[in-house]
Amino acid sequence: MIDQIELLKLIEKNSQLTTAEIATQLGAAAADVEKEIADLKAQNIILGSTTMINWDETNVDTVTAMIEVRITPVREKGFDKLADILCEYENVTACYLMSGGFDLMLIYEGKNLRDIASFVYDKVATQEGVLSTATHFILRKYKDNGILFKTKDSDDRQAIVL
């Protein structure tokens, strides 16, 4: 029998592993791994797979923002109604219900600062029940989804000889 948790950890860490590679690491048959993955997809435990890309190393310019949203919960629907509406926007890559000083945290990837500002004041702030927002821009990613983004060592300082 395949250890589901170990299988999930393996494919979460590297979605590009083949079923044969997973089977070898788990000491199972490839056919059993394929069946287990199909079952996990059917149960909505495995929802998809992604590849982490270091966009800073490409010539694509994007801006990522974390948008805090304070809202008034809707009767009998709580925070879910507004979260469902905000999740429909294509550039919203994540939405979390949070504890603390705000209720929802959105991760939004836009073309530029103006794009994000427009989203906040046209789409988020105008929603019924939104009390306030605060937007934080990601300046640099050091680690995301458990993956370190290695930065090139660039020391531009000039040597001074006395």
Side-chain angles (χ1 to χ4, degrees), residues 2 9 11 14 23 33 40 49 53 59 66 71 73-74 78-79 81-82 89 94 117 119 129-130 135 137 152 157:
I2 294 176
K9 286 179 181 178
I11 60 178
N14 185 353
V33 170
L40 291 167
S49 60
I53 297 173
N59 61 358
M66 299 173 73
I71 63 175
V74 176
F79 299 101
K81 183 174 190 243
L82 190 56
Y89 291 100
F119 171 72
V130 171
T135 304
F137 295 99
K152 295 178 184 170
R157 297 177 292 174

Side-chain angles (χ1 to χ4, degrees), residues 7 9-10 26 47 73 76-77 94 103-104 128-129 134 147 160:
L7 171 63
K9 286 179 181 178
L10 278 174
L26 295 177
L47 301 174
E76 297 181 20
K77 301 217 185 221
D103 303 305
L104 296 177
E128 185 176 339
I147 296 174
I160 299 175

